[in-house]
Amino acid sequence: ILVVAPLAFQFVPARAGGAARRRMWAELALTLCIGFGLLLALRSWDAAIASYFSVIALAPMLFMAFRHGWQGAAWALAAVSLGFQLARGSTSLPASPEAWQLFVALAGSVALVLGASIVSLRRVNAALLERNWQQKEINARLATQAATLRDLSQRLVRAREDAVTMQRQARQR
């Protein structure tokens, strides 16, 4: 359920354009290729190093969650889960298959929550940025109005001074 449910939401019409999705797929492929290369390199070493499989498996999910939110994390989780299922028969993992499934489920849950949090933070940040631009425009209009009022008040003061001066001159005549 943890792997399939987020993937099912991927097919709901999204706001992201084709370029964003292509970038997400390219980054996922690159991240998984690097991880697969590291796993192959570790496989040829000592069995004690095989415990780093979990760290390498966690990296694509967290990276994709950070870069592409919960959608990237969902695809990375599915790819890592599939990779563990395929690797289970060909390599000797340092723990039981149930322990690896539990680890992937836990790491996937963390990645999905992290991705959802990042998406939410990005939305809030965009809303704050929009509000700041609106406030900046309002402040510019207020500054213009304040300058206009300042000019008008200076004119009014000059007009009063001129009127007082004219009254004095009239009295003196």
Side-chain angles (χ1 to χ4, degrees):
I1 290 174
L2 184 65
V3 174
V4 175
L7 288 180
F9 283 106
Q10 300 288 326
F11 298 106
V12 175
R15 295 181 205 163
R21 285 201 181 261
R22 283 191 295 276
R23 188 174 62 245
M24 179 179 72
W25 283 103
E27 288 181 6
L28 177 63
L30 179 64
T31 304
L32 291 175
C33 286
I34 291 170
F36 184 69
L38 287 172
L39 287 176
L40 286 178
L42 285 177
R43 189 173 152 198
S44 64
W45 285 24
D46 188 9
I49 296 179
S51 63
Y52 289 107
F53 281 171
S54 60
V55 174
I56 293 171
L58 185 61
M61 288 186 282
L62 294 178
F63 174 76
M64 292 301 292
F66 176 72
R67 293 283 295 151
H68 301 283
W70 69 269
Q71 292 174 325
W75 285 109
L77 172 61
V80 168
S81 296
L82 179 64
F84 271 129
Q85 291 302 319
L86 295 175
R88 185 172 69 172
S90 65
T91 60
S92 58
L93 297 173
S96 68
E98 294 81 17
W100 282 106
Q101 289 173 351
L102 182 62
F103 171 76
V104 170
L106 180 63
S109 299
V110 168
L112 287 170
V113 169
L114 175 68
S117 299
I118 287 173
V119 167
S120 178
L121 286 174
R122 286 182 180 153
R123 283 185 189 147
V124 167
N125 189 26
L128 283 174
L129 188 62
E130 177 65 28
R131 185 171 177 200
N132 284 344
W133 279 107
Q134 290 172 353
Q135 291 294 325
K136 187 176 180 181
E137 291 173 1
I138 290 169
N139 287 341
R141 277 188 265 141
L142 287 174
T144 303
Q145 290 174 354
T148 303
L149 287 174
R150 196 172 27 255
D151 290 342
L152 288 174
S153 66
Q154 287 175 355
R155 281 187 193 172
L156 183 60
V157 167
R158 278 190 229 126
R160 283 183 184 166
E161 288 174 354
D162 290 345
V164 168
T165 304
M166 290 171 79
Q167 285 176 354
R168 285 183 188 161
Q169 288 174 355
R171 287 182 193 160
Q172 289 176 355
R173 287 188 196 166

PDB file of all heavy atoms in Angstrom, residues 65-69 117-127:
ATOM      1  N   ALA A  65      12.729  13.435  -2.560  1.00  0.00           N
ATOM      2  CA  ALA A  65      11.746  14.129  -1.722  1.00  0.00           C
ATOM      3  C   ALA A  65      12.112  15.603  -1.610  1.00  0.00           C
ATOM      4  O   ALA A  65      11.246  16.483  -1.691  1.00  0.00           O
ATOM      5  CB  ALA A  65      11.680  13.494  -0.340  1.00  0.00           C
ATOM      6  N   PHE A  66      13.405  15.885  -1.445  1.00  0.00           N
ATOM      7  CA  PHE A  66      13.841  17.273  -1.328  1.00  0.00           C
ATOM      8  C   PHE A  66      13.646  18.022  -2.641  1.00  0.00           C
ATOM      9  O   PHE A  66      13.187  19.158  -2.659  1.00  0.00           O
ATOM     10  CB  PHE A  66      15.307  17.328  -0.898  1.00  0.00           C
ATOM     11  CG  PHE A  66      15.843  18.720  -0.843  1.00  0.00           C
ATOM     12  CD1 PHE A  66      15.454  19.585   0.167  1.00  0.00           C
ATOM     13  CD2 PHE A  66      16.718  19.173  -1.813  1.00  0.00           C
ATOM     14  CE1 PHE A  66      15.935  20.883   0.220  1.00  0.00           C
ATOM     15  CE2 PHE A  66      17.207  20.469  -1.765  1.00  0.00           C
ATOM     16  CZ  PHE A  66      16.810  21.321  -0.751  1.00  0.00           C
ATOM     17  N   ARG A  67      13.999  17.409  -3.763  1.00  0.00           N
ATOM     18  CA  ARG A  67      13.944  18.095  -5.054  1.00  0.00           C
ATOM     19  C   ARG A  67      12.532  18.172  -5.634  1.00  0.00           C
ATOM     20  O   ARG A  67      12.179  19.180  -6.236  1.00  0.00           O
ATOM     21  CB  ARG A  67      14.849  17.377  -6.062  1.00  0.00           C
ATOM     22  CG  ARG A  67      16.301  17.474  -5.748  1.00  0.00           C
ATOM     23  CD  ARG A  67      16.892  18.799  -6.101  1.00  0.00           C
ATOM     24  NE  ARG A  67      16.842  18.961  -7.539  1.00  0.00           N
ATOM     25  CZ  ARG A  67      16.749  20.118  -8.153  1.00  0.00           C
ATOM     26  NH1 ARG A  67      16.703  21.216  -7.464  1.00  0.00           N
ATOM     27  NH2 ARG A  67      16.703  20.187  -9.458  1.00  0.00           N
ATOM     28  N   HIS A  68      11.722  17.107  -5.463  1.00  0.00           N
ATOM     29  CA  HIS A  68      10.441  17.028  -6.169  1.00  0.00           C
ATOM     30  C   HIS A  68       9.259  16.723  -5.260  1.00  0.00           C
ATOM     31  O   HIS A  68       8.196  16.328  -5.737  1.00  0.00           O
ATOM     32  CB  HIS A  68      10.520  15.987  -7.284  1.00  0.00           C
ATOM     33  CG  HIS A  68      11.589  16.299  -8.283  1.00  0.00           C
ATOM     34  ND1 HIS A  68      11.436  17.263  -9.238  1.00  0.00           N
ATOM     35  CD2 HIS A  68      12.831  15.805  -8.445  1.00  0.00           C
ATOM     36  CE1 HIS A  68      12.531  17.344  -9.974  1.00  0.00           C
ATOM     37  NE2 HIS A  68      13.395  16.466  -9.501  1.00  0.00           N
ATOM     38  N   GLY A  69       9.433  16.866  -3.966  1.00  0.00           N
ATOM     39  CA  GLY A  69       8.316  16.675  -3.055  1.00  0.00           C
ATOM     40  C   GLY A  69       7.901  15.219  -2.935  1.00  0.00           C
ATOM     41  O   GLY A  69       8.678  14.301  -3.202  1.00  0.00           O
ATOM     42  N   SER A 117       5.958  17.753   3.249  1.00  0.00           N
ATOM     43  CA  SER A 117       6.308  18.958   4.009  1.00  0.00           C
ATOM     44  C   SER A 117       7.016  19.973   3.128  1.00  0.00           C
ATOM     45  O   SER A 117       6.748  21.178   3.207  1.00  0.00           O
ATOM     46  CB  SER A 117       7.210  18.599   5.190  1.00  0.00           C
ATOM     47  OG  SER A 117       6.553  17.723   6.057  1.00  0.00           O
ATOM     48  N   ILE A 118       7.893  19.516   2.282  1.00  0.00           N
ATOM     49  CA  ILE A 118       8.619  20.416   1.393  1.00  0.00           C
ATOM     50  C   ILE A 118       7.673  21.059   0.395  1.00  0.00           C
ATOM     51  O   ILE A 118       7.761  22.259   0.118  1.00  0.00           O
ATOM     52  CB  ILE A 118       9.778  19.665   0.707  1.00  0.00           C
ATOM     53  CG1 ILE A 118      10.884  19.424   1.734  1.00  0.00           C
ATOM     54  CG2 ILE A 118      10.308  20.421  -0.500  1.00  0.00           C
ATOM     55  CD1 ILE A 118      12.006  18.563   1.266  1.00  0.00           C
ATOM     56  N   VAL A 119       6.726  20.284  -0.142  1.00  0.00           N
ATOM     57  CA  VAL A 119       5.735  20.853  -1.062  1.00  0.00           C
ATOM     58  C   VAL A 119       4.927  21.930  -0.344  1.00  0.00           C
ATOM     59  O   VAL A 119       4.690  23.018  -0.885  1.00  0.00           O
ATOM     60  CB  VAL A 119       4.815  19.747  -1.630  1.00  0.00           C
ATOM     61  CG1 VAL A 119       3.600  20.336  -2.320  1.00  0.00           C
ATOM     62  CG2 VAL A 119       5.594  18.858  -2.587  1.00  0.00           C
ATOM     63  N   SER A 120       4.523  21.647   0.873  1.00  0.00           N
ATOM     64  CA  SER A 120       3.756  22.622   1.646  1.00  0.00           C
ATOM     65  C   SER A 120       4.575  23.876   1.925  1.00  0.00           C
ATOM     66  O   SER A 120       4.081  24.999   1.788  1.00  0.00           O
ATOM     67  CB  SER A 120       3.291  21.987   2.956  1.00  0.00           C
ATOM     68  OG  SER A 120       2.604  22.919   3.735  1.00  0.00           O
ATOM     69  N   LEU A 121       5.825  23.701   2.319  1.00  0.00           N
ATOM     70  CA  LEU A 121       6.691  24.854   2.575  1.00  0.00           C
ATOM     71  C   LEU A 121       6.911  25.684   1.318  1.00  0.00           C
ATOM     72  O   LEU A 121       6.950  26.919   1.376  1.00  0.00           O
ATOM     73  CB  LEU A 121       8.031  24.393   3.145  1.00  0.00           C
ATOM     74  CG  LEU A 121       8.016  23.938   4.592  1.00  0.00           C
ATOM     75  CD1 LEU A 121       9.370  23.361   4.983  1.00  0.00           C
ATOM     76  CD2 LEU A 121       7.657  25.092   5.501  1.00  0.00           C
ATOM     77  N   ARG A 122       7.054  25.025   0.182  1.00  0.00           N
ATOM     78  CA  ARG A 122       7.226  25.767  -1.074  1.00  0.00           C
ATOM     79  C   ARG A 122       5.973  26.561  -1.418  1.00  0.00           C
ATOM     80  O   ARG A 122       6.069  27.682  -1.914  1.00  0.00           O
ATOM     81  CB  ARG A 122       7.597  24.814  -2.197  1.00  0.00           C
ATOM     82  CG  ARG A 122       9.029  24.335  -2.082  1.00  0.00           C
ATOM     83  CD  ARG A 122       9.422  23.441  -3.211  1.00  0.00           C
ATOM     84  NE  ARG A 122      10.803  23.018  -3.029  1.00  0.00           N
ATOM     85  CZ  ARG A 122      11.304  21.897  -3.501  1.00  0.00           C
ATOM     86  NH1 ARG A 122      10.543  21.090  -4.219  1.00  0.00           N
ATOM     87  NH2 ARG A 122      12.552  21.576  -3.287  1.00  0.00           N
ATOM     88  N   ARG A 123       4.806  25.991  -1.173  1.00  0.00           N
ATOM     89  CA  ARG A 123       3.563  26.732  -1.427  1.00  0.00           C
ATOM     90  C   ARG A 123       3.454  27.948  -0.512  1.00  0.00           C
ATOM     91  O   ARG A 123       3.079  29.038  -0.948  1.00  0.00           O
ATOM     92  CB  ARG A 123       2.353  25.828  -1.224  1.00  0.00           C
ATOM     93  CG  ARG A 123       2.122  24.879  -2.351  1.00  0.00           C
ATOM     94  CD  ARG A 123       0.842  24.099  -2.163  1.00  0.00           C
ATOM     95  NE  ARG A 123       0.749  23.056  -3.157  1.00  0.00           N
ATOM     96  CZ  ARG A 123       0.187  21.901  -2.974  1.00  0.00           C
ATOM     97  NH1 ARG A 123      -0.377  21.613  -1.814  1.00  0.00           N
ATOM     98  NH2 ARG A 123       0.141  21.005  -3.942  1.00  0.00           N
ATOM     99  N   VAL A 124       3.763  27.755   0.758  1.00  0.00           N
ATOM    100  CA  VAL A 124       3.714  28.870   1.707  1.00  0.00           C
ATOM    101  C   VAL A 124       4.731  29.936   1.314  1.00  0.00           C
ATOM    102  O   VAL A 124       4.437  31.136   1.357  1.00  0.00           O
ATOM    103  CB  VAL A 124       3.946  28.363   3.147  1.00  0.00           C
ATOM    104  CG1 VAL A 124       4.208  29.504   4.107  1.00  0.00           C
ATOM    105  CG2 VAL A 124       2.761  27.533   3.616  1.00  0.00           C
ATOM    106  N   ASN A 125       5.920  29.514   0.915  1.00  0.00           N
ATOM    107  CA  ASN A 125       6.946  30.453   0.501  1.00  0.00           C
ATOM    108  C   ASN A 125       6.497  31.243  -0.728  1.00  0.00           C
ATOM    109  O   ASN A 125       6.710  32.455  -0.802  1.00  0.00           O
ATOM    110  CB  ASN A 125       8.255  29.711   0.209  1.00  0.00           C
ATOM    111  CG  ASN A 125       9.406  30.641  -0.023  1.00  0.00           C
ATOM    112  OD1 ASN A 125       9.422  31.759   0.468  1.00  0.00           O
ATOM    113  ND2 ASN A 125      10.384  30.185  -0.777  1.00  0.00           N
ATOM    114  N   ALA A 126       5.874  30.564  -1.692  1.00  0.00           N
ATOM    115  CA  ALA A 126       5.383  31.260  -2.886  1.00  0.00           C
ATOM    116  C   ALA A 126       4.291  32.259  -2.517  1.00  0.00           C
ATOM    117  O   ALA A 126       4.259  33.379  -3.051  1.00  0.00           O
ATOM    118  CB  ALA A 126       4.858  30.249  -3.903  1.00  0.00           C
ATOM    119  N   ALA A 127       3.410  31.871  -1.594  1.00  0.00           N
ATOM    120  CA  ALA A 127       2.351  32.791  -1.162  1.00  0.00           C
ATOM    121  C   ALA A 127       2.945  33.996  -0.439  1.00  0.00           C
ATOM    122  O   ALA A 127       2.505  35.138  -0.648  1.00  0.00           O
ATOM    123  CB  ALA A 127       1.355  32.064  -0.252  1.00  0.00           C
TER     124      ALA A 127
END
